[in-house]
Amino acid sequence: MKSIEPWSIHGHLQVEKQELDTFLKDAWQIPISVGLPDALLDALDLHTRTLLTAGIEFNRDDLLRTLSRLPQLPALPWESVGS
């Protein structure tokens, strides 16, 4: 596994649903601290959990599809600076 990038290991090892909370502990602390909206955090968390359990590598287009399913894309904190 040394030749595999750390962000791709889940594609080679099975991740069980009961392990997700442990694996993602504190994963969202920085996004929370910068003020990302709860709806966006929830969508990102669900997307990440799905990738981990399915053994699918991150793909930007997949993430954009996930975010496009939100009823309304939340305003990001840095977009309102200076408004």
Coordinates of all heavy atoms in Angstrom, one line a residue:
M1 N 0.8 -1.2 0.0 CA 0.0 0.0 0.0 C 0.9 1.3 0.0 O 0.3 2.3 -0.1 CB -0.9 0.0 1.2 CG -2.0 -1.0 1.2 SD -3.1 -0.6 -0.2 CE -4.6 -1.2 0.4
K2 N 2.2 1.1 0.1 CA 3.0 2.3 0.2 C 3.0 3.1 -1.1 O 3.2 4.3 -1.1 CB 4.4 1.9 0.6 CG 4.6 1.5 2.0 CD 6.0 1.1 2.3 CE 6.1 0.7 3.7 NZ 7.5 0.5 4.2
S3 N 2.7 2.4 -2.2 CA 2.7 3.1 -3.5 C 1.4 3.8 -3.8 O 1.2 4.5 -4.8 CB 3.0 2.1 -4.6 OG 2.0 1.1 -4.7
I4 N 0.4 3.6 -2.9 CA -0.9 4.2 -3.1 C -1.0 5.5 -2.3 O -0.6 5.6 -1.2 CB -2.0 3.2 -2.6 CG1 -1.9 1.9 -3.5 CG2 -3.4 3.8 -2.7 CD1 -2.8 0.8 -3.0
E5 N -1.6 6.5 -3.0 CA -1.7 7.8 -2.4 C -2.7 7.7 -1.2 O -3.7 6.9 -1.3 CB -2.3 8.8 -3.4 CG -1.4 9.1 -4.6 CD -0.1 9.7 -4.2 OE1 0.1 10.3 -3.1 OE2 0.8 9.6 -5.1
P6 N -2.5 8.4 -0.1 CA -3.3 8.2 1.1 C -4.8 8.5 0.8 O -5.7 7.9 1.4 CB -2.8 9.3 2.1 CG -1.4 9.5 1.6 CD -1.4 9.3 0.1
W7 N -5.1 9.4 -0.1 CA -6.5 9.7 -0.4 C -7.2 8.7 -1.3 O -8.4 8.8 -1.5 CB -6.7 11.1 -1.0 CG -5.8 11.3 -2.2 CD1 -6.1 10.9 -3.5 CD2 -4.5 11.8 -2.2 NE1 -5.0 11.2 -4.3 CE2 -4.0 11.8 -3.6 CE3 -3.6 12.4 -1.3 CZ2 -2.8 12.3 -4.0 CZ3 -2.4 12.9 -1.7 CH2 -2.0 12.8 -3.0
S8 N -6.4 7.7 -1.7 CA -7.0 6.6 -2.5 C -7.1 5.2 -1.9 O -7.5 4.3 -2.5 CB -6.2 6.5 -3.8 OG -6.2 7.7 -4.5
I9 N -6.6 5.1 -0.6 CA -6.5 3.8 0.0 C -7.9 3.2 0.1 O -8.1 2.0 0.0 CB -5.9 4.0 1.4 CG1 -4.4 4.3 1.2 CG2 -6.1 2.7 2.3 CD1 -3.6 4.5 2.5
H10 N -9.0 4.0 0.3 CA -10.3 3.5 0.5 C -10.8 2.7 -0.8 O -11.7 1.9 -0.7 CB -11.3 4.6 0.9 CG -11.6 5.5 -0.2 ND1 -10.7 6.6 -0.6 CD2 -12.6 5.6 -1.1 CE1 -11.2 7.2 -1.6 NE2 -12.3 6.7 -2.0
G11 N -10.1 3.0 -1.9 CA -10.5 2.3 -3.1 C -9.9 0.9 -3.1 O -10.2 0.0 -4.0
H12 N -9.0 0.6 -2.2 CA -8.3 -0.7 -2.1 C -8.6 -1.5 -0.9 O -8.4 -2.7 -0.8 CB -6.8 -0.5 -2.2 CG -6.4 0.2 -3.5 ND1 -6.1 -0.5 -4.6 CD2 -6.2 1.5 -3.7 CE1 -5.8 0.4 -5.6 NE2 -5.8 1.6 -5.0
L13 N -9.2 -0.9 0.1 CA -9.6 -1.5 1.4 C -11.1 -1.2 1.6 O -11.5 -0.1 1.4 CB -8.8 -1.0 2.5 CG -7.3 -1.2 2.5 CD1 -6.6 -0.6 3.7 CD2 -6.9 -2.7 2.5
Q14 N -11.8 -2.2 2.1 CA -13.2 -2.0 2.4 C -13.4 -1.1 3.6 O -12.8 -1.3 4.6 CB -13.9 -3.4 2.6 CG -15.4 -3.3 2.9 CD -16.2 -2.8 1.7 OE1 -15.9 -3.2 0.6 NE2 -17.2 -2.0 2.0
V15 N -14.2 -0.1 3.5 CA -14.5 0.8 4.6 C -16.0 0.4 5.0 O -16.9 0.5 4.2 CB -14.4 2.3 4.2 CG1 -14.9 3.2 5.4 CG2 -13.0 2.6 3.8
E16 N -16.2 0.1 6.2 CA -17.5 -0.3 6.8 C -18.2 1.0 7.3 O -17.6 1.9 7.8 CB -17.3 -1.3 7.9 CG -16.6 -2.6 7.5 CD -17.4 -3.4 6.4 OE1 -18.6 -3.3 6.4 OE2 -16.8 -4.1 5.7
K17 N -19.5 1.0 7.2 CA -20.3 2.1 7.6 C -20.0 2.5 9.1 O -20.0 3.6 9.4 CB -21.8 1.9 7.4 CG -22.2 1.9 6.0 CD -23.7 1.8 5.8 CE -24.1 1.8 4.3 NZ -25.5 1.7 4.1
Q18 N -19.9 1.4 9.9 CA -19.6 1.7 11.3 C -18.3 2.4 11.6 O -18.0 2.9 12.7 CB -19.8 0.5 12.2 CG -18.8 -0.6 11.9 CD -19.3 -1.6 10.9 OE1 -20.2 -1.4 10.1 NE2 -18.6 -2.8 10.9
E19 N -17.4 2.4 10.6 CA -16.1 3.0 10.8 C -16.1 4.5 10.4 O -15.1 5.2 10.7 CB -15.1 2.3 9.9 CG -14.8 0.9 10.2 CD -13.9 0.2 9.3 OE1 -14.3 0.1 8.1 OE2 -12.8 -0.3 9.7
L20 N -17.1 4.9 9.7 CA -17.1 6.3 9.1 C -17.0 7.4 10.1 O -16.2 8.3 9.9 CB -18.4 6.5 8.3 CG -18.4 5.7 7.0 CD1 -19.8 5.8 6.3 CD2 -17.3 6.1 6.0
D21 N -17.7 7.3 11.2 CA -17.6 8.4 12.2 C -16.2 8.5 12.8 O -15.7 9.6 13.0 CB -18.6 8.1 13.4 CG -20.0 8.4 13.0 OD1 -20.3 9.1 12.0 OD2 -20.9 7.8 13.7
T22 N -15.5 7.4 13.0 CA -14.1 7.4 13.4 C -13.2 8.0 12.4 O -12.4 8.9 12.6 CB -13.6 6.0 13.8 OG1 -14.5 5.5 14.8 CG2 -12.2 6.0 14.3
F23 N -13.4 7.6 11.1 CA -12.5 8.1 10.0 C -12.7 9.6 9.8 O -11.8 10.3 9.4 CB -12.8 7.3 8.7 CG -12.3 5.9 8.7 CD1 -12.8 5.0 7.8 CD2 -11.4 5.4 9.6 CE1 -12.3 3.7 7.7 CE2 -10.9 4.1 9.6 CZ -11.4 3.3 8.7
L24 N -14.0 10.0 9.9 CA -14.3 11.4 9.6 C -14.3 12.3 10.9 O -14.7 13.5 10.8 CB -15.6 11.5 8.9 CG -15.6 10.9 7.5 CD1 -17.0 10.8 6.9 CD2 -14.7 11.6 6.6
K25 N -13.8 11.8 12.0 CA -13.8 12.6 13.2 C -13.0 13.9 12.9 O -11.9 13.8 12.4 CB -13.1 11.8 14.3 CG -13.1 12.6 15.7 CD -12.4 11.7 16.7 CE -12.5 12.3 18.1 NZ -12.0 13.6 18.2
D26 N -13.6 15.0 13.2 CA -12.9 16.3 13.0 C -12.7 16.7 11.6 O -12.0 17.7 11.3 CB -11.6 16.4 13.8 CG -11.8 16.3 15.3 OD1 -12.9 16.7 15.8 OD2 -10.9 15.8 16.0
A27 N -13.2 16.0 10.6 CA -13.0 16.3 9.2 C -13.6 17.6 8.8 O -13.1 18.3 7.9 CB -13.5 15.2 8.3
W28 N -14.6 18.0 9.5 CA -15.4 19.2 9.0 C -15.1 20.4 10.0 O -15.8 21.4 9.8 CB -16.9 18.9 9.0 CG -17.1 17.7 8.1 CD1 -17.6 16.5 8.4 CD2 -16.9 17.6 6.7 NE1 -17.6 15.6 7.4 CE2 -17.2 16.3 6.3 CE3 -16.4 18.5 5.7 CZ2 -17.1 15.9 4.9 CZ3 -16.2 18.1 4.4 CH2 -16.6 16.8 4.0
Q29 N -14.1 20.3 10.8 CA -13.9 21.4 11.8 C -13.4 22.7 11.1 O -13.9 23.8 11.4 CB -12.8 21.0 12.8 CG -13.3 19.9 13.8 CD -14.6 20.3 14.4 OE1 -14.7 21.3 15.1 NE2 -15.6 19.4 14.3
I30 N -12.6 22.6 10.1 CA -12.2 23.8 9.4 C -13.3 24.4 8.6 O -13.6 25.6 8.7 CB -10.9 23.6 8.5 CG1 -9.7 23.3 9.4 CG2 -10.6 24.7 7.6 CD1 -8.4 22.9 8.7
P31 N -14.1 23.6 7.8 CA -15.2 24.2 7.1 C -16.2 24.8 8.0 O -16.8 25.8 7.7 CB -15.8 23.0 6.3 CG -14.6 22.0 6.1 CD -13.8 22.2 7.4
I32 N -16.4 24.2 9.2 CA -17.4 24.8 10.2 C -16.8 26.1 10.7 O -17.5 27.1 10.7 CB -17.6 23.8 11.3 CG1 -18.4 22.6 10.9 CG2 -18.3 24.5 12.5 CD1 -18.5 21.5 11.9
S33 N -15.5 26.1 10.9 CA -14.9 27.4 11.5 C -14.9 28.5 10.5 O -14.9 29.7 10.9 CB -13.5 27.1 12.0 OG -12.6 26.9 10.9
V34 N -14.9 28.2 9.2 CA -15.0 29.3 8.2 C -16.4 29.7 7.9 O -16.7 30.6 7.1 CB -14.2 29.1 7.0 CG1 -12.7 28.9 7.3 CG2 -14.7 27.9 6.2
G35 N -17.4 29.0 8.5 CA -18.8 29.4 8.3 C -19.5 28.7 7.2 O -20.5 29.3 6.7
L36 N -19.1 27.6 6.7 CA -19.9 26.9 5.6 C -21.3 26.6 6.1 O -21.4 26.2 7.3 CB -19.2 25.7 5.1 CG -17.9 25.8 4.3 CD1 -17.5 24.5 3.8 CD2 -18.1 26.8 3.2
P37 N -22.3 26.8 5.3 CA -23.7 26.5 5.8 C -23.9 25.1 6.0 O -23.3 24.2 5.4 CB -24.5 27.0 4.5 CG -23.6 27.9 3.7 CD -22.2 27.4 4.0
D38 N -24.8 24.8 7.0 CA -25.1 23.4 7.4 C -25.5 22.5 6.2 O -25.1 21.4 6.1 CB -26.2 23.4 8.5 CG -25.6 23.9 9.8 OD1 -24.4 23.9 10.0 OD2 -26.5 24.3 10.6
A39 N -26.3 23.1 5.3 CA -26.8 22.3 4.2 C -25.7 21.8 3.3 O -25.6 20.7 2.8 CB -27.8 23.1 3.3
L40 N -24.7 22.7 3.1 CA -23.5 22.4 2.3 C -22.7 21.3 3.0 O -22.2 20.3 2.4 CB -22.7 23.6 2.0 CG -21.4 23.4 1.2 CD1 -21.7 22.7 -0.1 CD2 -20.8 24.7 0.9
L41 N -22.5 21.5 4.3 CA -21.7 20.6 5.1 C -22.3 19.2 5.1 O -21.7 18.2 5.0 CB -21.5 21.0 6.6 CG -20.6 22.2 6.7 CD1 -20.7 22.8 8.1 CD2 -19.2 21.8 6.5
D42 N -23.7 19.2 5.2 CA -24.4 17.9 5.2 C -24.2 17.2 3.9 O -24.0 16.0 3.8 CB -25.9 18.1 5.5 CG -26.1 18.5 6.9 OD1 -25.2 18.4 7.8 OD2 -27.3 19.0 7.2
A43 N -24.3 17.9 2.8 CA -24.1 17.4 1.4 C -22.7 16.8 1.2 O -22.5 15.7 0.7 CB -24.5 18.4 0.4
L44 N -21.7 17.6 1.7 CA -20.3 17.2 1.6 C -20.1 15.9 2.4 O -19.4 15.0 2.0 CB -19.4 18.3 2.0 CG -19.4 19.5 1.1 CD1 -18.6 20.6 1.7 CD2 -18.8 19.2 -0.3
D45 N -20.6 15.9 3.6 CA -20.4 14.7 4.5 C -21.1 13.5 3.9 O -20.4 12.4 3.8 CB -21.0 15.0 5.9 CG -20.8 13.9 6.8 OD1 -19.6 13.7 7.2 OD2 -21.7 13.2 7.2
L46 N -22.3 13.6 3.4 CA -22.9 12.4 2.7 C -22.2 12.0 1.5 O -22.0 10.8 1.3 CB -24.4 12.8 2.4 CG -25.2 11.7 1.7 CD1 -25.2 10.4 2.6 CD2 -26.6 12.1 1.4
H47 N -21.7 12.9 0.7 CA -20.9 12.6 -0.5 C -19.6 11.8 -0.1 O -19.3 10.8 -0.7 CB -20.6 13.9 -1.3 CG -19.8 13.7 -2.5 ND1 -20.5 13.3 -3.7 CD2 -18.5 13.8 -2.8 CE1 -19.6 13.2 -4.6 NE2 -18.4 13.4 -4.1
T48 N -19.0 12.3 0.9 CA -17.7 11.7 1.4 C -18.0 10.3 1.9 O -17.2 9.4 1.6 CB -17.1 12.6 2.4 OG1 -16.8 13.9 1.9 CG2 -15.8 12.0 2.9
R49 N -19.0 10.1 2.7 CA -19.3 8.8 3.2 C -19.7 7.8 2.1 O -19.3 6.7 2.2 CB -20.5 8.9 4.2 CG -20.1 9.6 5.5 CD -21.3 10.0 6.4 NE -20.9 10.7 7.6 CZ -20.5 10.1 8.7 NH1 -20.6 8.8 8.9 NH2 -20.1 10.9 9.7
T50 N -20.4 8.3 1.1 CA -20.7 7.4 0.0 C -19.4 7.0 -0.8 O -19.3 5.8 -1.1 CB -21.7 8.2 -1.0 OG1 -22.8 8.5 -0.3 CG2 -22.0 7.3 -2.2
L51 N -18.5 7.9 -1.0 CA -17.3 7.6 -1.7 C -16.5 6.6 -0.9 O -16.0 5.6 -1.4 CB -16.4 8.8 -1.9 CG -16.9 9.9 -2.9 CD1 -16.0 11.0 -2.9 CD2 -17.2 9.3 -4.2
L52 N -16.4 6.8 0.4 CA -15.6 5.9 1.3 C -16.1 4.5 1.3 O -15.4 3.5 1.1 CB -15.5 6.4 2.7 CG -14.6 7.7 2.8 CD1 -14.7 8.2 4.3 CD2 -13.2 7.4 2.5
T53 N -17.5 4.3 1.5 CA -18.0 3.0 1.6 C -18.1 2.3 0.3 O -18.1 1.1 0.2 CB -19.4 3.0 2.3 OG1 -20.3 3.9 1.5 CG2 -19.3 3.5 3.7
A54 N -18.2 3.1 -0.8 CA -18.3 2.4 -2.1 C -16.9 2.2 -2.7 O -16.8 1.5 -3.8 CB -19.1 3.3 -3.1
G55 N -15.9 2.7 -2.1 CA -14.5 2.6 -2.7 C -14.3 3.3 -3.9 O -13.5 2.9 -4.8
I56 N -15.0 4.5 -4.1 CA -14.9 5.3 -5.3 C -13.9 6.5 -5.0 O -14.0 7.1 -4.0 CB -16.3 5.9 -5.7 CG1 -17.2 4.7 -5.9 CG2 -16.2 6.8 -6.8 CD1 -18.7 5.2 -6.1
E57 N -13.0 6.7 -5.9 CA -12.1 7.8 -5.8 C -12.8 9.2 -6.0 O -13.8 9.2 -6.8 CB -10.9 7.7 -6.7 CG -10.0 6.6 -6.3 CD -8.6 6.7 -7.0 OE1 -8.1 7.8 -7.3 OE2 -8.0 5.6 -7.3
F58 N -12.3 10.2 -5.4 CA -12.9 11.5 -5.6 C -12.9 11.9 -7.1 O -11.9 11.7 -7.8 CB -12.1 12.6 -4.8 CG -12.6 14.0 -5.1 CD1 -13.7 14.5 -4.5 CD2 -11.8 14.8 -5.9 CE1 -14.1 15.8 -4.8 CE2 -12.3 16.1 -6.2 CZ -13.4 16.6 -5.6
N59 N -13.9 12.5 -7.5 CA -14.1 13.1 -8.9 C -14.8 14.4 -8.8 O -15.9 14.4 -8.3 CB -14.8 12.1 -9.8 CG -15.0 12.6 -11.2 OD1 -15.8 13.5 -11.4 ND2 -14.3 11.9 -12.1
R60 N -14.2 15.4 -9.3 CA -14.8 16.8 -9.2 C -16.2 16.8 -9.8 O -17.1 17.5 -9.3 CB -13.8 17.8 -9.8 CG -14.3 19.2 -9.6 CD -13.3 20.2 -10.3 NE -13.7 21.5 -10.2 CZ -13.5 22.4 -9.2 NH1 -12.8 22.0 -8.2 NH2 -13.9 23.6 -9.3
D61 N -16.3 16.2 -10.9 CA -17.6 16.2 -11.6 C -18.7 15.6 -10.8 O -19.9 16.1 -10.7 CB -17.6 15.6 -13.0 CG -16.7 16.4 -14.0 OD1 -16.6 17.6 -13.8 OD2 -16.2 15.8 -14.9
D62 N -18.4 14.5 -10.1 CA -19.3 13.8 -9.2 C -19.7 14.8 -8.0 O -20.9 14.8 -7.7 CB -18.8 12.5 -8.6 CG -18.6 11.4 -9.6 OD1 -19.3 11.5 -10.7 OD2 -17.9 10.5 -9.4
L63 N -18.7 15.5 -7.5 CA -19.0 16.4 -6.4 C -19.9 17.5 -6.9 O -20.9 17.9 -6.2 CB -17.7 17.0 -5.9 CG -17.9 18.1 -4.8 CD1 -18.7 17.5 -3.6 CD2 -16.6 18.6 -4.4
L64 N -19.7 18.0 -8.1 CA -20.5 19.1 -8.6 C -22.0 18.6 -8.9 O -22.9 19.3 -8.6 CB -19.9 19.6 -9.9 CG -18.6 20.4 -9.8 CD1 -18.0 20.8 -11.1 CD2 -18.8 21.6 -8.9
R65 N -22.1 17.4 -9.3 CA -23.5 16.8 -9.4 C -24.2 16.7 -8.1 O -25.3 17.0 -8.0 CB -23.4 15.4 -10.1 CG -23.3 15.5 -11.6 CD -23.5 14.1 -12.3 NE -22.4 13.2 -12.1 CZ -21.3 13.3 -12.9 NH1 -21.2 14.2 -13.8 NH2 -20.3 12.5 -12.7
T66 N -23.4 16.3 -7.1 CA -24.0 16.2 -5.7 C -24.5 17.6 -5.3 O -25.6 17.7 -4.8 CB -23.0 15.6 -4.7 OG1 -22.7 14.3 -5.1 CG2 -23.4 15.7 -3.3
L67 N -23.6 18.6 -5.5 CA -24.0 19.9 -5.0 C -25.1 20.5 -5.8 O -25.9 21.3 -5.3 CB -22.7 20.8 -5.0 CG -21.6 20.4 -4.1 CD1 -20.4 21.3 -4.3 CD2 -22.1 20.3 -2.7
S68 N -25.2 20.1 -7.1 CA -26.3 20.7 -7.9 C -27.6 20.1 -7.5 O -28.7 20.7 -7.9 CB -26.0 20.3 -9.4 OG -26.3 18.9 -9.6
R69 N -27.7 19.1 -6.7 CA -28.9 18.5 -6.2 C -29.5 19.3 -5.0 O -30.6 19.1 -4.5 CB -28.8 17.1 -5.8 CG -28.5 16.2 -7.0 CD -28.4 14.7 -6.6 NE -28.0 13.9 -7.8 CZ -26.8 13.3 -7.8 NH1 -26.0 13.3 -6.8 NH2 -26.5 12.6 -8.9
L70 N -28.6 20.2 -4.4 CA -29.1 21.0 -3.3 C -30.2 21.9 -3.8 O -30.2 22.4 -4.9 CB -28.0 21.8 -2.7 CG -26.9 21.1 -1.9 CD1 -25.8 22.1 -1.6 CD2 -27.5 20.5 -0.7
P71 N -31.3 22.1 -3.0 CA -32.4 22.9 -3.4 C -31.9 24.3 -3.8 O -32.4 24.9 -4.8 CB -33.3 23.0 -2.2 CG -32.9 22.0 -1.3 CD -31.5 21.6 -1.7
Q72 N -31.0 24.8 -3.1 CA -30.4 26.1 -3.4 C -28.9 26.1 -3.0 O -28.7 25.7 -1.8 CB -31.1 27.2 -2.7 CG -30.5 28.6 -2.8 CD -31.3 29.6 -2.0 OE1 -32.4 29.3 -1.5 NE2 -30.8 30.8 -1.9
L73 N -28.0 26.4 -3.8 CA -26.6 26.4 -3.4 C -26.4 27.5 -2.4 O -26.7 28.7 -2.6 CB -25.7 26.7 -4.6 CG -24.2 26.5 -4.3 CD1 -23.9 25.1 -3.8 CD2 -23.4 26.8 -5.5
P74 N -26.0 27.1 -1.2 CA -25.9 28.1 -0.1 C -24.8 29.2 -0.4 O -23.9 28.9 -1.1 CB -25.4 27.3 1.1 CG -25.6 25.8 0.8 CD -25.6 25.8 -0.7
A75 N -25.1 30.3 0.1 CA -24.1 31.4 0.0 C -22.8 31.1 0.8 O -22.9 30.7 1.9 CB -24.7 32.7 0.4
L76 N -21.7 31.1 0.2 CA -20.5 30.8 0.9 C -20.0 32.1 1.6 O -20.1 33.2 1.1 CB -19.4 30.3 -0.1 CG -19.9 29.0 -0.9 CD1 -18.9 28.7 -1.9 CD2 -20.1 27.9 0.1
P77 N -19.4 31.9 2.8 CA -19.0 33.1 3.6 C -18.1 34.0 2.8 O -18.2 35.2 3.0 CB -18.2 32.4 4.7 CG -18.7 31.0 4.8 CD -19.1 30.6 3.4
W78 N -17.2 33.5 2.0 CA -16.2 34.4 1.3 C -16.9 35.1 0.1 O -16.3 36.1 -0.4 CB -15.0 33.7 0.9 CG -15.3 32.4 0.1 CD1 -15.5 32.3 -1.2 CD2 -15.4 31.1 0.7 NE1 -15.8 31.0 -1.5 CE2 -15.7 30.2 -0.4 CE3 -15.3 30.6 2.0 CZ2 -15.9 28.9 -0.2 CZ3 -15.5 29.2 2.2 CH2 -15.8 28.4 1.1
E79 N -18.0 34.7 -0.3 CA -18.7 35.4 -1.4 C -19.4 36.6 -0.9 O -19.7 37.5 -1.7 CB -19.7 34.4 -2.1 CG -19.1 33.3 -2.8 CD -20.0 32.3 -3.4 OE1 -21.2 32.3 -3.0 OE2 -19.6 31.6 -4.3
S80 N -19.7 36.7 0.3 CA -20.4 37.9 0.8 C -19.5 39.0 1.4 O -19.9 40.0 1.8 CB -21.4 37.5 1.9 OG -20.7 36.9 3.0
V81 N -18.2 38.7 1.4 CA -17.2 39.7 1.9 C -17.2 40.9 1.0 O -17.2 40.9 -0.2 CB -15.8 39.1 1.9 CG1 -14.7 40.1 2.3 CG2 -15.7 37.9 2.9
G82 N -17.4 42.1 1.6 CA -17.4 43.4 0.9 C -18.7 43.7 0.2 O -18.8 44.7 -0.5
S83 N -19.7 42.9 0.5 CA -21.0 43.2 -0.1 C -21.8 44.2 0.6 O -21.7 44.5 1.7 CB -21.9 41.9 -0.1 OG -21.3 40.9 -0.9

